[in-house]
């Protein structure tokens, strides 16, 4: 009986322990596994979403990069005090040979450039002949044809394309040749050697002055250099001027007359007088360059009491004037002495200034802003500019 009682007690105890312990453990274990599965599933979903989002960002070309966390160092950190950043090359207008600086877009604005400069002797020596030269900033000077020295200094004229040279020899023969001296042609005789023949913008015609038998200037005529008979259209009006300039647009001819400058049409009809000259004020007998539209002129202006000079050609310039108002145009000389000015067809100017024992040339735009500057070769310091050809 005791054995039977013992078996019954043990069985009851086993049933009680099993029903309570297994049920609670099973419930707790089930809840823990459920939570772990839920967390794992959520984490996997987040990884997939992040990967998809990253792919989407990567394939959007206009998407800004995701900001770095606040504790992530930047890849554009400032240099240490012992190391200087590499400077950006300057494009300042004051840097020789540099292109113009601009605060706006320059994609629609062509860059201004120096044309080719032609040189002749600045003074007359005892040499029988002398060579002209040409030079473009960035290149070396080029030796051109040899001319009688008096013609090279006093009346040599460069065609607008730079290919031909016209001059008058001492006996009054008007000659045209290529810039290298080839294809020499005698155009006509009885031409005033004291005055400069001037080319028309198309490079076909030459305005010249006929010489009288006594050597005095005579009629003004326009010679067709390409016609078989060398035909001449004579001006009906005869201004008392000598050296002339022909604007690039073909409409205006400037001439030094009396004490100042007068503008004419191409047939010799008077257009207007440049104001600002008088017997007891400014005077000028020497003009150097006329702008494309005839609105500006570079010349040697003489002050009251200063020597007026003579009929010989003088290409030095100390002023640029507005031909309508007579006002002087301001140039960016940097405190240096102006020596010569030549207009280019785009309205810009090649400005020659004294620089130490030599010269420098500035490229100045139509508004008076310096675009670039370069030193002239030392071999040209004893020469003067005869023309600038685009």
């Amino acid at each position: 009986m005791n054995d039977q009682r013992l078996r019954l007690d043990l069985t009851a105890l086993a049933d009680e322990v099993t029903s309570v312990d297994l049920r609670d453990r099973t419930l707790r274990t089930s809840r823990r596994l459920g939570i772990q599965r839920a967390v794992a599933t959520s984490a996997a979903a987040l990884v997939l979403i992040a990967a998809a989002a990253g792919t989407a960002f990567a394939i959007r070309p206009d998407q800004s990069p995701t900001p770095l966390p606040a504790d992530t160092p930047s890849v554009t950190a400032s240099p240490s005090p012992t190391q200087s950043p590499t400077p950006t090359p300057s494009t300042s207008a004051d840097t020789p040979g540099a292109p113009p600086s601009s605060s706006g877009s320059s994609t629609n604005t062509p860059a201004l450039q120096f044309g080719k400069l032609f040189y002749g002797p600045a003074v007359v020596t005892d040499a029988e002949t002398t060579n002209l030269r040409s030079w473009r900033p960035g290149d070396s000077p080029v030796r051109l044809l040899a001319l009688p020295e008096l013609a090279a200094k006093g009346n040599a004229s460069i065609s607008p394309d730079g290919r031909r040279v016209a001059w008058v020899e001492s006996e009054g023969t008007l000659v045209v040749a290529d810039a290298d001296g080839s294809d020499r042609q005698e155009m006509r005789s009885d031409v005033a050697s004291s005055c400069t023949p001037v080319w028309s913008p198309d490079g076909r015609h030459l305005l010249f002055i006929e010489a009288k038998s006594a050597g005095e200037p005579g009629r003004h005529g326009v010679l067709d250099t390409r016609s078989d008979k060398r035909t001449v259209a004579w001006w009906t009006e005869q201004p008392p001027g000598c050296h002339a300039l022909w604007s690039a647009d073909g409409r205006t001819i400037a001439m030094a007359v009396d004490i100042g400058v007068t503008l004419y049409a191409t047939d010799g009809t008077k257009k207007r007088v440049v104001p600002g000259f008088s017997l007891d004020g400014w005077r000028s007998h020497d003009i150097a360059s006329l702008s494309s539209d005839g609105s500006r002129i570079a010349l040697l202006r003489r002050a009251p009491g200063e020597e007026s000079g003579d009929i010989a050609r003088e290409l030095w310039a100390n002023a640029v004037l507005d031909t309508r108002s007579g006002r002087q145009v301001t140039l960016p000389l940097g405190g240096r002495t102006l020596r010569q000015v030549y207009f280019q067809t785009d309205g810009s100017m090649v400005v020659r200034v004294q620089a130490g024992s030599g010269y420098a040339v500035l490229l100045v735009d139509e508004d008076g802003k310096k675009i670039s500057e370069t030193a002239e070769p030392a071999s040209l310091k004893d020469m003067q500019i005869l023309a600038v050809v685009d």
Side-chain angles (χ1 to χ4, degrees):
M1 180 167 180
N2 289 337
D3 291 339
Q4 184 177 4
R5 176 72 180 204
L6 179 61
R7 284 195 296 272
L8 291 175
D9 290 341
L10 289 174
T11 300
L13 179 62
D15 291 340
E16 182 180 355
V17 170
T18 300
S19 61
V20 174
D21 184 57
L22 292 179
R23 181 172 62 84
D24 290 341
R25 288 186 179 184
T26 299
L27 289 175
R28 285 197 301 269
T29 300
S30 176
R31 281 194 293 268
R32 187 164 58 249
L33 291 176
I35 292 171
Q36 289 176 351
R37 290 191 188 100
V39 170
T41 302
S42 300
L46 288 173
V47 169
L48 291 175
I49 292 172
T55 303
F57 287 149
I59 63 175
R60 285 184 61 187
D62 58 344
Q63 176 66 37
S64 300
T66 304
L68 296 173
D71 57 350
T72 304
S74 170
V75 296
T76 56
S78 301
S80 62
T82 59
Q83 182 180 4
S84 300
T86 303
T88 301
S90 172
T91 56
S92 168
D94 292 332
T95 303
S101 59
S102 174
S103 59
S105 173
S106 60
T107 55
N108 295 324
T109 304
L112 298 179
Q113 296 182 347
F114 282 103
K116 182 183 290 185
L117 285 66
F118 287 79
Y119 291 79
V123 296
V124 175
T125 65
D126 294 331
E128 184 177 347
T129 63
T130 187
N131 288 87
L132 304 187
R133 285 174 171 78
S134 68
W135 172 66
R136 190 189 298 271
D139 298 335
S140 298
V142 176
R143 185 172 178 150
L144 304 177
L145 77 171
L147 298 181
E149 190 180 53
L150 286 176
K153 169 68 170 68
N155 61 53
S157 180
I158 311 299
S159 67
D161 60 6
R163 297 180 180 179
R164 304 279 278 170
V165 180
W167 72 94
V168 184
E169 298 189 331
S170 57
E171 72 276 10
T173 301
L174 175 59
V175 184
V176 172
D178 288 349
D180 62 2
S182 62
D183 194 23
R184 174 189 166 101
Q185 300 179 44
E186 294 185 358
M187 292 290 162
R188 64 177 293 118
S189 57
D190 299 326
V191 176
S193 61
S194 57
C195 298
T196 306
V198 58
W199 290 94
S200 62
D202 61 5
R204 176 166 183 159
H205 300 87
L206 281 168
L207 172 64
F208 70 97
I209 299 178
E210 183 184 39
K212 293 182 179 179
S213 57
E216 294 297 323
R219 297 178 297 174
H220 292 72
V222 179
L223 170 70
D224 186 344
T225 64
R226 299 179 191 171
S227 64
D228 294 336
K229 296 183 178 181
R230 306 286 194 258
T231 56
V232 177
W234 298 101
W235 281 9
T236 55
E237 296 185 29
Q238 300 302 325
C242 186
H243 306 289
L245 304 171
W246 203 324
S247 65
D249 65 6
R251 299 179 180 179
T252 305
I253 291 174
M255 200 173 295
V257 177
D258 297 328
I259 57 170
V261 181
T262 303
L263 304 183
Y264 298 88
T266 55
D267 62 357
T269 305
K270 184 176 178 180
K271 297 176 71 172
R272 67 179 186 274
V273 175
V274 177
F277 298 98
S278 63
L279 286 172
D280 56 352
W282 292 108
R283 290 166 287 114
S284 180
H285 302 283
D286 303 291
I287 55 179
S289 182
L290 185 66
S291 66
S292 297
D293 59 359
S295 64
R296 293 179 176 183
I297 190 167
L299 44 70
L300 183 61
R301 192 171 60 164
R302 302 177 191 269
E306 189 177 352
E307 289 292 331
S308 297
D310 53 33
I311 194 174
R313 179 176 70 173
E314 186 66 80
L315 296 176
W316 300 116
N318 59 10
V320 173
L321 303 181
D322 184 302
T323 59
R324 291 191 178 277
S325 66
R327 293 195 198 87
Q328 184 169 352
V329 177
T330 302
L331 298 175
L333 305 179
R336 294 167 293 187
T337 301
L338 176 64
R339 299 301 286 152
Q340 290 189 276
V341 178
Y342 281 89
F343 293 96
Q344 302 194 113
T345 56
D346 58 11
S348 63
M349 292 170 276
V350 174
V351 178
R352 192 186 196 198
V353 296
Q354 193 81 38
S357 60
Y359 298 95
V361 287
L362 286 56
L363 181 61
V364 178
D365 68 15
E366 193 171 7
D367 296 327
K369 176 185 176 182
K370 186 176 78 170
I371 303 303
S372 62
E373 175 179 335
T374 187
E376 272 188 359
S379 60
L380 299 174
K381 71 175 184 177
D382 294 326
M383 306 190 81
Q384 63 180 352
I385 301 174
L386 302 180
V388 176
V389 173
D390 292 356

